[in-house]
Amino acid sequence: MNPQVSSSSVQLDIPDGLADRYTSALEVVRAGAYSNRKPLKTIAADMDVSPSDLSRKLANNPDDPRRFTVLDLEAYVTSTGDVQPILYLVQKFCTDPQAKQREALAALAKLAPQIQALLKQAGVAE
């Protein structure tokens, strides 16, 4: 999932619903860190923190003073190559609402024949 960069724009392949599946960028990082092919202790070492510190930061406990920072995010992406947290932020904050509506309408248009056939099977439409 590498962005295509041109002189005038950036082309990103963002998974559908990424911003709907997670509640925060930290949640995306947490999911990625615990499912990455690299063990958490290796990711932590790459980020120059201990595995326990990384776990505590990812836990986001309000009573724990350790917090996952923007610098941590950069180190995480450098270590893992996982750009999902960045794509999450782009989808959440930079997506054109009209583009989302156009995508939904296009998806509905593709489904229309199936819906019509099912309505016929159910005896609701001719």
Side-chain angles (χ1 to χ4, degrees), residues 13-29:
D13 181 22
I14 302 175
D16 289 336
L18 184 61
D20 297 328
R21 285 195 307 273
Y22 297 98
T23 59
S24 69
L26 181 59
E27 189 178 332
V28 180
V29 171

Side-chain angles (χ1 to χ4, degrees), residues 2 12 22 31 40 42 45 50 52 56 59 69 74 77 79 94 105-108 122:
N2 294 327
L12 298 173
Y22 297 98
L40 192 66
T42 304
S50 70
S52 64
R56 288 174 67 177
T69 67
E74 290 182 27
V77 172
S79 171
C94 300
L105 289 171
L108 283 171

Side-chain angles (χ1 to χ4, degrees), residues 83-97:
V83 296
Q84 294 278 66
I86 297 166
L87 296 176
Y88 164 87
L89 291 169
V90 168
Q91 189 175 67
K92 183 171 181 177
F93 296 108
C94 300
T95 303
D96 175 15

Side-chain angles (χ1 to χ4, degrees), residues 36-98:
N36 197 280
R37 61 177 170 71
K38 281 186 174 183
L40 192 66
K41 67 180 182 178
T42 304
I43 296 170
D46 291 347
M47 293 175 63
D48 200 26
V49 297
S50 70
S52 64
D53 276 351
L54 180 55
S55 291
R56 288 174 67 177
K57 287 179 177 199
L58 292 174
N60 200 33
N61 181 340
D63 296 328
D64 192 335
R66 286 176 176 76
R67 296 282 180 245
F68 196 85
T69 67
V70 172
L71 293 175
D72 291 329
L73 176 62
E74 290 182 27
Y76 167 80
V77 172
T78 299
S79 171
T80 63
D82 179 12
V83 296
Q84 294 278 66
I86 297 166
L87 296 176
Y88 164 87
L89 291 169
V90 168
Q91 189 175 67
K92 183 171 181 177
F93 296 108
C94 300
T95 303
D96 175 15
Q98 291 177 343

